[in-house]
């Protein structure tokens, strides 16, 4: 597997190939609520200021929150940060509207486990045709006959703040929606909340599809699904598109190597300079 990390999933406890696609009503409703709000936004005026504010907030949330705080820090333990910072970044990730932190972590573990297995359902590896894959990633999931056992560390699973975020992740949009409305009315609310969340949800899955299907790849023997390195996608997804690197060095804080521009890593470098990121794992150094 290329690394010595003991994963949270017991590898032999489930069957990654035997399952059926199921709609997830809550997930689908949330997505279509965001689509409905976006349609209203697109029908209204296209003012550059709220659009730029929405794009800026999306970039900060997805880079610092989702990629660095949730994915690299909480899920993979790629570095250590003070608890207030870790929680702040995870909150920023939740503001992207992709789900609660504990369920996103569990989904990530199960997906990674399935991809490491010699056989897995095509949903786990984004192996269906593009639009079919996008649809099932956005509104459903694979229900396995034998789901694997997952063991999440108590300091994450029992953390009151993460449990609160897990329960009320959708409601985290409310303070932002209220602020946007008070500042610029309905137009600002629609661009900053539903449009930003819908674009984040779709882009997340588009990156997942591309990074598991196209581009340079050094395969890991025995894995049913491989990651690929996509320079342009990597650049635009704050490092997440260098997915072959991530498969090979899943605990590395740095996803783009050499000249691969990795905005998330730049943010971690700033945190390191400020003394806020320590024990940073890199290939050959704990990853
Ligand atoms: Zn990962
Ligand atoms: Zn992957």
């Amino acid at each position: 597997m290329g690394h010595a990390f003991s994963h949270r999933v017991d590898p032999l406890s489930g069957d990654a190939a035997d399952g059926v696609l199921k709609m997830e009503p809550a997930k689908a409703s949330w997505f279509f609520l965001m689509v409905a709000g976006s349609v209203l936004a697109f029908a209204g005026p296209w003012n550059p200021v709220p659009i730029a504010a929405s794009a800026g907030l999306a970039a900060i949330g997805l880079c610092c929150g989702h990629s660095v705080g949730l994915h690299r820090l909480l899920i993979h333990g790629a570095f250590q940060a003070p608890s207030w910072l870790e929680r702040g970044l995870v909150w920023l990730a939740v503001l992207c509207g992709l789900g609660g932190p504990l369920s996103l972590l569990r989904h990530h573990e199960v997906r990674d486990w399935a991809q490491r297995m010699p056989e897995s359902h095509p949903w786990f590896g984004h192996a269906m045709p593009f639009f079919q894959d996008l649809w099932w990633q956005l509104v459903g999931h694979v229900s396995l006959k034998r789901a694997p056992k997952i063991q999440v560390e108590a300091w994450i699973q029992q953390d009151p703040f993460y449990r609160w975020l897990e329960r009320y992740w959708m409601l985290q949009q409310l303070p932002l929606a209220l602020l946007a409305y008070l500042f610029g009315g309905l137009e600002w609310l629609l661009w900053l909340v539903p449009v930003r969340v819908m674009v984040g949800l779709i882009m997340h899955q588009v990156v997942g599809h591309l990074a598991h299907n196209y581009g340079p790849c050094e395969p890991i023997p025995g894995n049913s699904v491989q990651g690929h390195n996509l320079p342009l996608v990597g650049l635009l997804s704050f490092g997440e598109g260098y997915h072959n690197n991530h498969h090979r060095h899943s605990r590395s804080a740095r996803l783009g190597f050499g000249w691969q521009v990795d905005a998330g890593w730049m943010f971690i470098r700033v945190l390191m300079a400020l003394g806020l990121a320590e024990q940073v794992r890199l290939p050959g150094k704990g990853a």
Side-chain angles (χ1 to χ4, degrees):
M1 277 168 220
H3 48 73
F5 176 45
S6 61
H7 297 276
R8 296 183 177 103
V9 171
D10 177 356
L12 299 174
S13 60
D15 182 344
D18 191 8
V20 285
L21 287 167
K22 283 221 173 106
M23 283 286 282
E24 235 178 290
K27 193 173 164 177
S29 311
W30 176 249
F31 175 64
F32 284 113
L33 185 66
M34 296 302 124
V35 172
S38 301
V39 169
L40 289 178
F42 297 157
W46 287 61
N47 286 320
V49 186
I51 294 174
S54 174
L57 189 59
I60 293 170
L62 291 166
C63 178
C64 306
H66 208 270
S67 178
V68 172
L70 185 76
H71 187 208
R72 305 188 205 197
L73 177 56
L74 194 70
I75 294 178
H76 290 294
F79 64 97
Q80 299 290 313
S83 162
W84 63 266
L85 179 65
E86 181 191 280
R87 290 170 175 203
L89 294 176
V90 170
W91 175 79
L92 208 51
V94 171
L95 196 65
C96 296
L98 273 61
L102 301 177
S103 50
L104 287 173
L105 180 145
R106 293 180 92 86
H107 282 140
H108 196 88
E109 290 298 331
V110 173
R111 186 179 287 269
D112 278 5
W113 158 78
Q115 296 189 357
R116 287 192 303 272
M117 290 291 106
E119 260 187 285
S120 60
H121 189 285
W123 186 81
F124 289 118
H126 296 268
M128 292 180 280
F130 180 76
F131 287 106
Q132 201 184 337
D133 179 42
L134 198 57
W135 171 259
W136 281 110
Q137 301 294 344
L138 284 167
V139 303
H141 73 289
V142 158
S143 170
L144 291 175
K145 252 191 212 134
R146 280 204 309 128
K149 283 194 198 87
I150 312 174
Q151 191 120 47
V152 179
E153 303 89 315
W155 70 266
I156 296 176
Q157 191 65 44
Q158 306 300 335
D159 183 277
F161 180 64
Y162 293 150
R163 291 175 78 100
W164 177 76
L165 275 184
E166 178 65 27
R167 190 153 180 189
Y168 299 113
W169 66 269
M170 291 179 182
L171 296 183
Q172 304 305 313
Q173 302 300 328
L174 281 184
L176 175 64
L178 186 67
L179 268 178
Y181 184 75
L182 293 175
F183 181 78
L186 186 64
E187 184 197 351
W188 273 73
L189 188 159
L190 293 174
W191 280 103
L192 261 77
V193 179
V195 175
R196 180 183 51 85
V197 172
M198 180 193 75
V199 171
L201 281 164
I202 293 174
M203 291 321 289
H204 179 68
Q205 301 304 345
V206 169
V207 170
H209 182 87
L210 297 175
H212 285 98
N213 287 290
Y214 306 103
C217 165
E218 206 184 308
I220 300 173
N223 286 12
S224 57
V225 179
Q226 304 293 341
H228 300 250
N229 285 338
L230 285 164
L232 186 64
V233 178
L235 175 77
L236 297 174
S237 59
F238 318 102
E240 294 291 326
Y242 307 117
H243 203 58
N244 190 241
N245 297 346
H246 185 53
H247 274 225
R248 301 194 71 83
H249 305 281
S250 59
R251 298 205 83 184
S252 175
R254 184 174 182 175
L255 300 179
F257 303 152
W259 289 100
Q260 297 167 336
V261 181
D262 175 355
W265 171 240
M266 291 176 195
F267 176 58
I268 296 172
R269 290 280 296 271
V270 172
L271 296 180
M272 288 161 75
L274 295 170
L276 295 171
E278 288 175 342
Q279 299 174 52
V280 179
R281 294 174 193 270
L282 292 167
K285 280 195 274 175

